[in-house]
Amino acid sequence: MALNDELFWLIGEFAAIMHIAVAGAVTIHVLLYKRNVGAAVSWIGIAWLSPFLGGLLYAIMGINRVKRRAKRLLRQRTQPGITEAASAGMSPDDPLAPLEFAVGRLTGLPREHGNKVDTLRNGDEAYPRMLEEIGRARMSIGLQSYIFRDDAAGAPFHQALIEAQRRGVQVRVLIDGVGGGYFWSGTYRRLSRAGVPVARFLHSYFPWRMPFVNLRNHRKVLVIDGRIGFTGGINIGAENLQAAHPTHAVRDTHFRFEGPVVEQLTDAFVDDWLFATGEDLPDKDWFPSIEKAGVVAARVVTSGPDEDNERIEFVALHAISCARKSVRVVTPYFLPPEPLTMALGLAAMRGIEVDLILPERGNHAILDWARQIPLRPLIEAGCRVWLLPPPFEHSKLMTVDDCWSFVGSANWDTRSFRLNFELNIELHDTGFAHEIAVATRRCRRLTTVEIDADPLPIRLRNGAARLLQPYL
């Protein structure tokens, strides 16, 4: 008996020493690499209060391996046509001159002049134009989408991509490993069987790759021969075809680009393909010389948990700080990081017209519950919150002073700003800003009276949902 007691004591002593070693290692790593104080304190607490399990969770979910991998791949390829951006050409008195300088510093990309932009509403307008360009492609097609369904909307894309591959076009298709179907992707199966090069972004069934499940490529990009580009908020799925009256209809906005900014779109796709597959696509087939096609100045802004971390969030912050008349935001989900919430409130307090246009009911109830918490102080600060009736509006649009726009794939939530790989485009053009403005006359204005009318259980539910903000 005494021998058994001594053995148990030794095992306990060893376990205690190992727990201290693991928790200490986690603490050191957190102190060196975690910038967010709340996240740092949480991880340290989990590591010390949950022996071994806390260390395992941090090893799986707390270490940004994606950033390290991106830096390794970035050294393999020099981006073509990239120059140092500056605010040359803008009047020093222009209130957006500081924004131009800041975005140039953030992205390292120039603002490209001479672009033509077409606004496309829903899949009814976007899909035919996209399929038309795929049918005309002669050199290269790069297509990436967060969701790419094997349904009435996806089938024509499958056929068009397969036909393009057969006629000798270089086709590359990238689908997110979660949004495109984690356990089953009909699109991946159909295209791979037909010989079309297709990849699933950060997808793996193996447990040691599980940290990647929380990191998603939310970008929607189509580039044709390096000359025509599409991007915006539309995934490929039948829910976007309004004419077919789907059960869960989704309204959305996409954009077609011609002109020099398409090179930046192509570059973003090529980098994502390199990240996902290790294949460096040849410049001669993907980056032709591009002539000016219009009058809009534009620039791509990418963001993700790699070398582009928080860029889109920082651009939005700079834009709000430069606003002199108005800020308008259309987003399906509204749970932004605290700095953005504060910036919007401060803008309204200094007399800027701040309009937030959100769906009355989203497609994720928990996000609707959680957004009530940040909306109340914004309304009190003077922001106007408008609720769009069904069908669900999935567009992501921002305008400042009716002359600067920011469109693309990023929602106004922590996931898009801090975790997802996203792609937006900033545009300097008064006509375009007016074109994408969503009229508030058919919206219902949200008031603090309505928020305060919720009974206590509902308010508690909303507050609890807000605590999940980093993971939603």
Side-chain angles (χ1 to χ4, degrees):
M1 181 67 70
L3 183 61
N4 287 339
D5 289 344
E6 185 176 351
L7 180 60
F8 286 136
W9 183 84
L10 289 173
I11 292 174
E13 185 92 352
F14 177 76
I17 294 173
M18 290 302 298
H19 165 54
I20 292 173
V22 170
V26 170
T27 301
I28 291 171
H29 194 276
V30 167
L31 293 175
L32 290 175
Y33 296 107
K34 291 296 178 187
R35 292 187 302 164
N36 184 279
V37 174
V41 171
S42 297
W43 278 120
I44 291 174
I46 290 171
W48 285 100
L49 298 176
S50 301
F52 301 109
L53 177 61
L56 178 63
L57 289 174
Y58 183 74
I60 291 175
M61 301 183 64
I63 300 174
N64 190 346
R65 299 178 181 86
V66 173
K67 188 171 184 178
R68 297 175 184 177
R69 180 180 176 186
K71 287 182 176 178
R72 287 200 306 270
L73 290 172
L74 193 63
R75 286 193 289 268
Q76 298 176 15
R77 179 173 178 273
T78 301
Q79 297 175 325
I82 303 306
T83 59
E84 185 70 21
S87 55
M90 297 188 71
S91 168
D93 298 328
D94 190 330
L96 295 183
L99 176 61
E100 161 64 18
F101 184 80
V103 180
R105 289 284 299 274
L106 279 169
T107 64
L109 298 175
R111 183 176 59 157
E112 298 285 4
H113 295 265
N115 301 285
K116 180 176 183 293
V117 188
D118 295 323
T119 302
L120 308 171
R121 281 293 285 166
N122 306 316
D124 305 76
E125 293 184 2
Y127 295 162
R129 297 288 298 274
M130 295 165 73
L131 290 168
E132 179 184 357
E133 297 298 346
I134 291 173
R136 292 177 177 174
R138 293 296 175 263
M139 298 295 295
S140 61
I141 298 172
L143 171 60
Q144 66 180 119
S145 184
Y146 176 63
I147 295 173
F148 192 163
R149 302 195 193 281
D150 182 13
D151 60 10
F157 281 91
H158 299 162
Q159 187 60 36
L161 292 166
I162 292 169
E163 291 176 357
Q165 174 76 10
R166 288 174 178 170
R167 67 175 183 265
V169 178
Q170 288 195 56
V171 179
R172 300 293 186 274
V173 179
L174 186 58
I175 310 168
D176 182 71
V178 176
Y182 182 76
F183 294 104
W184 175 262
S185 172
T187 292
Y188 179 83
R189 179 172 172 269
R190 287 183 183 276
L191 294 180
S192 59
R193 283 189 172 185
V196 176
V198 56
R200 303 173 74 181
F201 194 88
L202 292 181
H203 181 271
S204 174
Y205 295 113
F206 301 109
W208 54 87
R209 298 292 298 277
M210 285 300 287
F212 295 150
V213 172
N214 199 39
L215 305 176
R216 304 168 190 173
N217 193 317
H218 197 239
R219 298 168 183 171
K220 295 94 175 171
V221 175
L222 171 63
V223 285
I224 307 293
D225 292 339
R227 300 180 184 278
I228 304 294
F230 293 83
T231 194
I234 297 182
N235 293 295
I236 300 177
E239 64 272 16
N240 293 290
L241 295 170
Q242 302 299 306
H245 304 290
T247 304
H248 302 289
V250 176
R251 295 177 60 84
D252 214 327
T253 312
H254 224 54
F255 304 94
R256 178 186 182 276
F257 291 87
E258 287 184 67
V261 77
V262 177
E263 180 179 329
Q264 295 182 8
L265 272 176
T266 304
D267 198 71
F269 173 82
V270 168
D271 276 350
D272 278 355
W273 183 259
L274 171 66
F275 186 100
T277 69
E279 180 190 12
D280 195 357
L281 300 175
D283 290 354
K284 63 183 179 65
D285 297 320
W286 293 81
F287 296 98
S289 177
I290 304 177
E291 301 295 330
K292 293 183 178 181
V295 297
V296 179
R299 170 169 34 208
V300 168
V301 182
T302 56
S303 185
D306 52 5
E307 79 282 355
D308 298 340
N309 196 28
E310 300 174 7
R311 281 185 186 171
I312 289 177
E313 177 185 349
F314 291 161
V315 170
L317 280 168
H318 281 297
I320 296 168
S321 69
C322 289
R324 294 296 179 268
K325 296 185 298 182
S326 65
V327 175
R328 179 181 292 250
V329 175
V330 182
T331 180
Y333 313 114
F334 186 80
L335 278 174
E338 188 64 28
L340 275 171
T341 305
M342 184 179 297
L344 289 169
L346 291 174
M349 292 177 69
R350 69 175 188 266
I352 307 299
E353 291 186 355
V354 179
D355 289 295
L356 305 176
I357 303 171
L358 318 173
E360 191 171 48
R361 290 192 303 274
N363 58 349
H364 297 293
I366 193 169
L367 295 172
D368 291 345
W369 302 342
R371 77 182 184 187
Q372 298 294 88
I373 306 302
L375 286 179
R376 194 185 196 289
L378 286 176
I379 295 173
E380 290 176 338
C383 298
R384 297 182 297 191
V385 179
W386 307 91
L387 301 180
L388 284 163
F392 175 54
E393 181 67 52
H394 192 249
S395 301
K396 307 96 164 42
L397 315 169
M398 177 183 184
T399 63
V400 170
D401 293 349
D402 293 325
C403 63
W404 182 90
S405 308
F406 203 35
V407 304
S409 67
N411 302 309
W412 275 61
D413 59 17
T414 301
R415 166 163 290 284
S416 275
F417 288 133
R418 302 283 176 86
L419 290 176
N420 286 350
F421 293 81
E422 304 280 2
L423 185 147
N424 276 20
I425 294 187
E426 63 151 346
L427 302 108
H428 296 249
D429 186 76
T430 301
F432 180 81
H434 282 298
E435 182 181 343
I436 67 169
V438 176
T440 58
R441 61 178 178 271
R442 69 182 187 93
C443 305
R444 178 172 64 83
R445 187 170 178 178
L446 181 67
T447 65
T448 55
V449 174
E450 180 178 343
I451 294 176
D452 293 340
D454 290 334
L456 179 61
I458 297 299
R459 297 206 304 271
L460 291 173
R461 179 202 67 186
N462 296 345
R466 175 68 190 279
L467 298 180
L468 300 174
Q469 177 175 350
Y471 313 103
L472 297 177

